[in-house]
mmCIF file of all heavy atoms in Angstrom:
data_model
loop_
_atom_site.group_PDB
_atom_site.id
_atom_site.type_symbol
_atom_site.label_atom_id
_atom_site.label_comp_id
_atom_site.label_asym_id
_atom_site.label_seq_id
_atom_site.Cartn_x
_atom_site.Cartn_y
_atom_site.Cartn_z
ATOM 1 N N MET A 239 18.493 10.526 19.256
ATOM 2 C CA MET A 239 19.357 9.453 18.748
ATOM 3 C C MET A 239 18.497 8.429 18.024
ATOM 4 O O MET A 239 17.505 7.941 18.563
ATOM 5 C CB MET A 239 20.112 8.780 19.899
ATOM 6 C CG MET A 239 21.073 7.686 19.431
ATOM 7 S SD MET A 239 22.015 6.980 20.823
ATOM 8 C CE MET A 239 20.702 6.150 21.703
ATOM 9 N N SER A 240 18.842 8.097 16.775
ATOM 10 C CA SER A 240 18.069 7.134 16.007
ATOM 11 C C SER A 240 18.386 5.721 16.469
ATOM 12 O O SER A 240 19.473 5.435 16.977
ATOM 13 C CB SER A 240 18.371 7.279 14.513
ATOM 14 O OG SER A 240 19.749 7.025 14.260
ATOM 15 N N VAL A 241 17.434 4.829 16.266
ATOM 16 C CA VAL A 241 17.598 3.434 16.652
ATOM 17 C C VAL A 241 18.098 2.636 15.459
ATOM 18 O O VAL A 241 17.558 2.735 14.360
ATOM 19 C CB VAL A 241 16.262 2.840 17.149
ATOM 20 C CG1 VAL A 241 16.425 1.352 17.447
ATOM 21 C CG2 VAL A 241 15.795 3.581 18.391
ATOM 22 N N SER A 242 19.154 1.858 15.638
ATOM 23 C CA SER A 242 19.670 0.991 14.583
ATOM 24 C C SER A 242 19.275 -0.449 14.872
ATOM 25 O O SER A 242 19.627 -1.003 15.915
ATOM 26 C CB SER A 242 21.191 1.105 14.498
ATOM 27 O OG SER A 242 21.699 0.167 13.574
ATOM 28 N N PHE A 243 18.530 -1.043 13.954
ATOM 29 C CA PHE A 243 18.118 -2.435 14.137
ATOM 30 C C PHE A 243 19.160 -3.402 13.591
ATOM 31 O O PHE A 243 19.081 -4.599 13.849
ATOM 32 C CB PHE A 243 16.778 -2.673 13.444
ATOM 33 C CG PHE A 243 15.634 -1.902 14.057
ATOM 34 C CD1 PHE A 243 15.108 -0.786 13.429
ATOM 35 C CD2 PHE A 243 15.091 -2.300 15.271
ATOM 36 C CE1 PHE A 243 14.060 -0.073 13.991
ATOM 37 C CE2 PHE A 243 14.048 -1.598 15.847
ATOM 38 C CZ PHE A 243 13.527 -0.486 15.205
ATOM 39 N N GLY A 244 20.112 -2.900 12.820
ATOM 40 C CA GLY A 244 21.144 -3.777 12.279
ATOM 41 C C GLY A 244 20.629 -4.759 11.248
ATOM 42 O O GLY A 244 21.207 -5.831 11.054
ATOM 43 N N LEU A 245 19.551 -4.405 10.545
ATOM 44 C CA LEU A 245 18.939 -5.328 9.589
ATOM 45 C C LEU A 245 19.160 -4.934 8.129
ATOM 46 O O LEU A 245 18.729 -5.668 7.235
ATOM 47 C CB LEU A 245 17.427 -5.430 9.862
ATOM 48 C CG LEU A 245 17.047 -6.161 11.145
ATOM 49 C CD1 LEU A 245 15.555 -6.022 11.420
ATOM 50 C CD2 LEU A 245 17.418 -7.638 11.050
ATOM 51 N N VAL A 246 19.823 -3.820 7.889
ATOM 52 C CA VAL A 246 20.057 -3.389 6.509
ATOM 53 C C VAL A 246 20.901 -4.437 5.776
ATOM 54 O O VAL A 246 21.994 -4.804 6.223
ATOM 55 C CB VAL A 246 20.761 -2.019 6.464
ATOM 56 C CG1 VAL A 246 21.111 -1.652 5.014
ATOM 57 C CG2 VAL A 246 19.875 -0.951 7.083
ATOM 58 N N GLY A 247 20.366 -4.922 4.660
ATOM 59 C CA GLY A 247 21.087 -5.918 3.870
ATOM 60 C C GLY A 247 20.965 -7.338 4.372
ATOM 61 O O GLY A 247 21.463 -8.267 3.721
ATOM 62 N N LYS A 248 20.319 -7.533 5.516
ATOM 63 C CA LYS A 248 20.117 -8.894 6.030
ATOM 64 C C LYS A 248 19.010 -9.582 5.232
ATOM 65 O O LYS A 248 18.206 -8.935 4.553
ATOM 66 C CB LYS A 248 19.737 -8.855 7.515
ATOM 67 C CG LYS A 248 20.799 -8.266 8.426
ATOM 68 C CD LYS A 248 22.019 -9.172 8.514
ATOM 69 C CE LYS A 248 23.091 -8.616 9.449
ATOM 70 N NZ LYS A 248 22.670 -8.646 10.861
ATOM 71 N N VAL A 249 18.951 -10.904 5.317
ATOM 72 C CA VAL A 249 17.960 -11.693 4.572
ATOM 73 C C VAL A 249 17.002 -12.361 5.559
ATOM 74 O O VAL A 249 17.445 -13.010 6.522
ATOM 75 C CB VAL A 249 18.641 -12.766 3.707
ATOM 76 C CG1 VAL A 249 17.596 -13.620 2.982
ATOM 77 C CG2 VAL A 249 19.590 -12.113 2.705
ATOM 78 N N ALA A 250 15.707 -12.187 5.317
ATOM 79 C CA ALA A 250 14.690 -12.719 6.226
ATOM 80 C C ALA A 250 13.660 -13.540 5.468
ATOM 81 O O ALA A 250 13.185 -13.138 4.399
ATOM 82 C CB ALA A 250 13.994 -11.578 6.961
ATOM 83 N N VAL A 251 13.300 -14.674 6.029
ATOM 84 C CA VAL A 251 12.184 -15.485 5.541
ATOM 85 C C VAL A 251 11.023 -15.299 6.507
ATOM 86 O O VAL A 251 11.186 -15.475 7.720
ATOM 87 C CB VAL A 251 12.554 -16.981 5.461
ATOM 88 C CG1 VAL A 251 11.311 -17.836 5.212
ATOM 89 C CG2 VAL A 251 13.581 -17.221 4.364
ATOM 90 N N VAL A 252 9.862 -14.938 5.978
ATOM 91 C CA VAL A 252 8.657 -14.815 6.807
ATOM 92 C C VAL A 252 7.603 -15.743 6.227
ATOM 93 O O VAL A 252 7.106 -15.518 5.119
ATOM 94 C CB VAL A 252 8.124 -13.362 6.832
ATOM 95 C CG1 VAL A 252 6.937 -13.264 7.786
ATOM 96 C CG2 VAL A 252 9.214 -12.386 7.239
ATOM 97 N N THR A 253 7.257 -16.794 6.954
ATOM 98 C CA THR A 253 6.265 -17.735 6.449
ATOM 99 C C THR A 253 4.861 -17.174 6.653
ATOM 100 O O THR A 253 4.631 -16.375 7.552
ATOM 101 C CB THR A 253 6.386 -19.103 7.141
ATOM 102 O OG1 THR A 253 5.936 -19.002 8.499
ATOM 103 C CG2 THR A 253 7.826 -19.599 7.130
ATOM 104 N N GLY A 254 3.953 -17.586 5.798
ATOM 105 C CA GLY A 254 2.573 -17.106 5.913
ATOM 106 C C GLY A 254 2.489 -15.603 5.845
ATOM 107 O O GLY A 254 1.767 -14.974 6.623
ATOM 108 N N SER A 255 3.196 -15.001 4.882
ATOM 109 C CA SER A 255 3.372 -13.540 4.920
ATOM 110 C C SER A 255 2.593 -12.775 3.853
ATOM 111 O O SER A 255 2.913 -11.627 3.563
ATOM 112 C CB SER A 255 4.861 -13.194 4.802
ATOM 113 O OG SER A 255 5.483 -13.889 3.742
ATOM 114 N N THR A 256 1.569 -13.372 3.286
ATOM 115 C CA THR A 256 0.772 -12.624 2.310
ATOM 116 C C THR A 256 -0.327 -11.797 2.960
ATOM 117 O O THR A 256 -0.897 -10.903 2.339
ATOM 118 C CB THR A 256 0.131 -13.568 1.276
ATOM 119 O OG1 THR A 256 -0.701 -14.525 1.950
ATOM 120 C CG2 THR A 256 1.198 -14.282 0.458
ATOM 121 N N ARG A 257 -0.629 -12.089 4.229
ATOM 122 C CA ARG A 257 -1.702 -11.335 4.907
ATOM 123 C C ARG A 257 -1.509 -11.399 6.424
ATOM 124 O O ARG A 257 -0.657 -12.124 6.930
ATOM 125 C CB ARG A 257 -3.068 -11.901 4.534
ATOM 126 C CG ARG A 257 -3.216 -13.391 4.820
ATOM 127 C CD ARG A 257 -4.630 -13.898 4.534
ATOM 128 N NE ARG A 257 -5.064 -13.570 3.197
ATOM 129 C CZ ARG A 257 -4.824 -14.327 2.127
ATOM 130 N NH1 ARG A 257 -4.137 -15.441 2.267
ATOM 131 N NH2 ARG A 257 -5.253 -13.969 0.932
ATOM 132 N N GLY A 258 -2.336 -10.639 7.138
ATOM 133 C CA GLY A 258 -2.365 -10.717 8.596
ATOM 134 C C GLY A 258 -1.054 -10.378 9.266
ATOM 135 O O GLY A 258 -0.309 -9.480 8.846
ATOM 136 N N ILE A 259 -0.746 -11.106 10.332
ATOM 137 C CA ILE A 259 0.460 -10.847 11.114
ATOM 138 C C ILE A 259 1.712 -11.035 10.264
ATOM 139 O O ILE A 259 2.651 -10.236 10.320
ATOM 140 C CB ILE A 259 0.495 -11.754 12.358
ATOM 141 C CG1 ILE A 259 -0.603 -11.333 13.341
ATOM 142 C CG2 ILE A 259 1.867 -11.695 13.030
ATOM 143 C CD1 ILE A 259 -0.772 -12.279 14.522
ATOM 144 N N GLY A 260 1.740 -12.083 9.446
ATOM 145 C CA GLY A 260 2.917 -12.356 8.625
ATOM 146 C C GLY A 260 3.240 -11.218 7.680
ATOM 147 O O GLY A 260 4.408 -10.846 7.508
ATOM 148 N N TRP A 261 2.223 -10.629 7.066
ATOM 149 C CA TRP A 261 2.431 -9.505 6.160
ATOM 150 C C TRP A 261 2.953 -8.290 6.919
ATOM 151 O O TRP A 261 3.862 -7.595 6.453
ATOM 152 C CB TRP A 261 1.143 -9.169 5.427
ATOM 153 C CG TRP A 261 1.187 -7.867 4.677
ATOM 154 C CD1 TRP A 261 0.411 -6.766 4.886
ATOM 155 C CD2 TRP A 261 2.067 -7.522 3.601
ATOM 156 N NE1 TRP A 261 0.745 -5.757 4.016
ATOM 157 C CE2 TRP A 261 1.768 -6.181 3.212
ATOM 158 C CE3 TRP A 261 3.093 -8.198 2.935
ATOM 159 C CZ2 TRP A 261 2.441 -5.525 2.193
ATOM 160 C CZ3 TRP A 261 3.776 -7.527 1.913
ATOM 161 C CH2 TRP A 261 3.443 -6.217 1.551
ATOM 162 N N SER A 262 2.402 -8.023 8.078
ATOM 163 C CA SER A 262 2.861 -6.888 8.871
ATOM 164 C C SER A 262 4.316 -7.074 9.297
ATOM 165 O O SER A 262 5.101 -6.125 9.288
ATOM 166 C CB SER A 262 1.968 -6.712 10.107
ATOM 167 O OG SER A 262 2.311 -5.532 10.803
ATOM 168 N N VAL A 263 4.678 -8.297 9.655
ATOM 169 C CA VAL A 263 6.069 -8.597 10.007
ATOM 170 C C VAL A 263 6.986 -8.353 8.816
ATOM 171 O O VAL A 263 8.053 -7.729 8.943
ATOM 172 C CB VAL A 263 6.207 -10.052 10.492
ATOM 173 C CG1 VAL A 263 7.680 -10.465 10.572
ATOM 174 C CG2 VAL A 263 5.544 -10.235 11.849
ATOM 175 N N ALA A 264 6.576 -8.832 7.644
ATOM 176 C CA ALA A 264 7.388 -8.643 6.438
ATOM 177 C C ALA A 264 7.599 -7.160 6.160
ATOM 178 O O ALA A 264 8.712 -6.734 5.800
ATOM 179 C CB ALA A 264 6.708 -9.323 5.247
ATOM 180 N N GLU A 265 6.562 -6.370 6.350
ATOM 181 C CA GLU A 265 6.675 -4.912 6.139
ATOM 182 C C GLU A 265 7.651 -4.278 7.123
ATOM 183 O O GLU A 265 8.473 -3.438 6.751
ATOM 184 C CB GLU A 265 5.307 -4.258 6.267
ATOM 185 C CG GLU A 265 4.532 -4.177 4.979
ATOM 186 C CD GLU A 265 3.672 -2.923 4.909
ATOM 187 O OE1 GLU A 265 2.711 -2.850 5.682
ATOM 188 O OE2 GLU A 265 3.987 -2.027 4.100
ATOM 189 N N GLN A 266 7.545 -4.659 8.386
ATOM 190 C CA GLN A 266 8.439 -4.085 9.397
ATOM 191 C C GLN A 266 9.899 -4.410 9.092
ATOM 192 O O GLN A 266 10.784 -3.551 9.222
ATOM 193 C CB GLN A 266 8.072 -4.626 10.781
ATOM 194 C CG GLN A 266 6.766 -4.109 11.339
ATOM 195 C CD GLN A 266 6.879 -2.701 11.909
ATOM 196 O OE1 GLN A 266 7.981 -2.219 12.175
ATOM 197 N NE2 GLN A 266 5.752 -2.041 12.101
ATOM 198 N N LEU A 267 10.163 -5.635 8.681
ATOM 199 C CA LEU A 267 11.540 -6.037 8.386
ATOM 200 C C LEU A 267 12.064 -5.322 7.147
ATOM 201 O O LEU A 267 13.217 -4.873 7.107
ATOM 202 C CB LEU A 267 11.614 -7.554 8.202
ATOM 203 C CG LEU A 267 11.310 -8.391 9.452
ATOM 204 C CD1 LEU A 267 11.299 -9.872 9.113
ATOM 205 C CD2 LEU A 267 12.326 -8.117 10.562
ATOM 206 N N ALA A 268 11.210 -5.207 6.129
ATOM 207 C CA ALA A 268 11.625 -4.499 4.919
ATOM 208 C C ALA A 268 11.874 -3.022 5.205
ATOM 209 O O ALA A 268 12.831 -2.426 4.695
ATOM 210 C CB ALA A 268 10.562 -4.657 3.837
ATOM 211 N N ALA A 269 11.035 -2.419 6.035
ATOM 212 C CA ALA A 269 11.202 -1.012 6.403
ATOM 213 C C ALA A 269 12.520 -0.789 7.137
ATOM 214 O O ALA A 269 13.099 0.301 7.076
ATOM 215 C CB ALA A 269 10.026 -0.545 7.263
ATOM 216 N N ALA A 270 12.985 -1.832 7.843
ATOM 217 C CA ALA A 270 14.264 -1.742 8.555
ATOM 218 C C ALA A 270 15.444 -2.079 7.660
ATOM 219 O O ALA A 270 16.588 -2.092 8.126
ATOM 220 C CB ALA A 270 14.248 -2.671 9.771
ATOM 221 N N GLY A 271 15.175 -2.365 6.375
ATOM 222 C CA GLY A 271 16.261 -2.576 5.427
ATOM 223 C C GLY A 271 16.582 -4.006 5.065
ATOM 224 O O GLY A 271 17.546 -4.258 4.318
ATOM 225 N N ALA A 272 15.794 -4.953 5.544
ATOM 226 C CA ALA A 272 16.068 -6.362 5.254
ATOM 227 C C ALA A 272 15.493 -6.782 3.907
ATOM 228 O O ALA A 272 14.433 -6.311 3.493
ATOM 229 C CB ALA A 272 15.486 -7.243 6.358
ATOM 230 N N HIS A 273 16.190 -7.671 3.230
ATOM 231 C CA HIS A 273 15.647 -8.336 2.055
ATOM 232 C C HIS A 273 14.698 -9.419 2.569
ATOM 233 O O HIS A 273 15.032 -10.130 3.528
ATOM 234 C CB HIS A 273 16.756 -8.962 1.222
ATOM 235 C CG HIS A 273 17.832 -7.986 0.826
ATOM 236 N ND1 HIS A 273 17.547 -6.760 0.276
ATOM 237 C CD2 HIS A 273 19.186 -8.074 0.912
ATOM 238 C CE1 HIS A 273 18.674 -6.117 0.023
ATOM 239 N NE2 HIS A 273 19.687 -6.890 0.408
ATOM 240 N N VAL A 274 13.541 -9.570 1.951
ATOM 241 C CA VAL A 274 12.491 -10.415 2.526
ATOM 242 C C VAL A 274 11.986 -11.451 1.532
ATOM 243 O O VAL A 274 11.696 -11.128 0.369
ATOM 244 C CB VAL A 274 11.303 -9.569 3.013
ATOM 245 C CG1 VAL A 274 10.204 -10.457 3.597
ATOM 246 C CG2 VAL A 274 11.761 -8.543 4.051
ATOM 247 N N VAL A 275 11.866 -12.686 2.011
ATOM 248 C CA VAL A 275 11.218 -13.752 1.256
ATOM 249 C C VAL A 275 9.764 -13.800 1.691
ATOM 250 O O VAL A 275 9.453 -14.067 2.866
ATOM 251 C CB VAL A 275 11.883 -15.117 1.514
ATOM 252 C CG1 VAL A 275 11.108 -16.224 0.792
ATOM 253 C CG2 VAL A 275 13.336 -15.098 1.054
ATOM 254 N N ILE A 276 8.865 -13.512 0.744
ATOM 255 C CA ILE A 276 7.428 -13.605 0.995
ATOM 256 C C ILE A 276 6.992 -15.035 0.695
ATOM 257 O O ILE A 276 7.284 -15.570 -0.375
ATOM 258 C CB ILE A 276 6.646 -12.611 0.106
ATOM 259 C CG1 ILE A 276 6.993 -11.171 0.479
ATOM 260 C CG2 ILE A 276 5.150 -12.849 0.217
ATOM 261 C CD1 ILE A 276 6.481 -10.751 1.836
ATOM 262 N N ASN A 277 6.286 -15.646 1.630
ATOM 263 C CA ASN A 277 5.884 -17.046 1.480
ATOM 264 C C ASN A 277 4.395 -17.226 1.722
ATOM 265 O O ASN A 277 3.828 -16.644 2.633
ATOM 266 C CB ASN A 277 6.673 -17.919 2.463
ATOM 267 C CG ASN A 277 6.049 -19.278 2.677
ATOM 268 O OD1 ASN A 277 5.526 -19.552 3.755
ATOM 269 N ND2 ASN A 277 6.081 -20.130 1.674
ATOM 270 N N GLY A 278 3.778 -18.021 0.873
ATOM 271 C CA GLY A 278 2.398 -18.427 1.057
ATOM 272 C C GLY A 278 2.276 -19.901 0.727
ATOM 273 O O GLY A 278 3.185 -20.492 0.135
#
């Protein structure tokens, strides 16, 4: 059974997301289908 995160089409802001933990978070959210605001 696949896992549904319910994030497809959702909008996410990730601060400090050009590198490190913030970048990894942005990738995970985008991989789950969320639109992402990259912030530096």
